[in-house]
Amino acid sequence: MDKKEVQTLARIVGRLGRKYQHQIYATGTTVIIGLQAMPANAFGLFSPAQVALTCMFGGTSAGTGNPAIAALPGVINAAITVMLFVYFVASGVKVANSLGEGQEVTQMVQQPIGIFFITLVLFIAQNILFNGVTAAC
């Protein structure tokens, strides 16, 4: 592919992304929250940290305590996952639009790439730190 073809493809992706950005956010958020609500399929970048927080906030008596406090680890995990999802979609759309317009995107991709690597390091660290922690404490 030459530069013109890449630019045309980026322009199309950018326009589609901008047009359907809110639908992408809504669908992604719904999937993340829906999976979070099913304990067997709980999804989140920081699920091991969520299990550890569940232990800290409720221990073995999580069912008898305040339901809002017992649900807090899941809410925190889902909120962080949704925020990162929205950030990366918005960054991707912004970069695609800039590429489609023929702009230099070197500066634009530095922050999303940095956030990606920070998230990766945090993901690995929490998996190492909370390896073997179960909700049963």
Side-chain angles (χ1 to χ4, degrees):
M1 284 185 135
D2 67 342
K3 186 176 180 179
K4 183 94 171 146
E5 291 173 339
V6 170
Q7 221 172 354
T8 303
L9 180 62
R11 186 176 301 125
I12 291 168
V13 169
R15 285 182 184 162
L16 285 173
R18 193 175 328 126
K19 182 177 181 180
Y20 295 110
Q21 193 168 5
H22 296 290
Q23 288 85 350
I24 295 169
Y25 294 159
T27 304
T29 301
T30 302
V31 168
I32 291 167
I33 301 298
L35 289 175
Q36 187 67 32
M38 298 182 296
N41 298 323
F43 171 77
L45 293 173
F46 302 104
S47 292
Q50 177 184 344
V51 172
L53 285 172
T54 301
C55 255
M56 287 172 42
F57 286 141
T60 56
S61 63
T64 61
N66 185 345
I69 298 297
L72 190 59
V75 171
I76 291 170
N77 185 25
I80 291 171
T81 304
V82 167
M83 286 189 296
L84 286 169
F85 170 74
V86 168
Y87 174 77
F88 285 120
V89 169
S91 295
V93 169
K94 186 176 178 181
V95 168
N97 282 324
S98 297
L99 277 173
E101 295 170 3
Q103 296 178 9
E104 178 63 40
V105 294
T106 306
Q107 296 294 324
M108 289 179 145
V109 297
Q110 285 179 349
Q111 185 178 7
I113 289 173
I115 301 250
F116 173 78
F117 282 117
I118 289 169
T119 303
L120 182 63
V121 167
L122 290 174
F123 177 76
I124 292 168
Q126 60 104 32
N127 276 314
I128 292 169
L129 285 173
F130 303 122
N131 185 24
V133 175
T134 63
C137 301

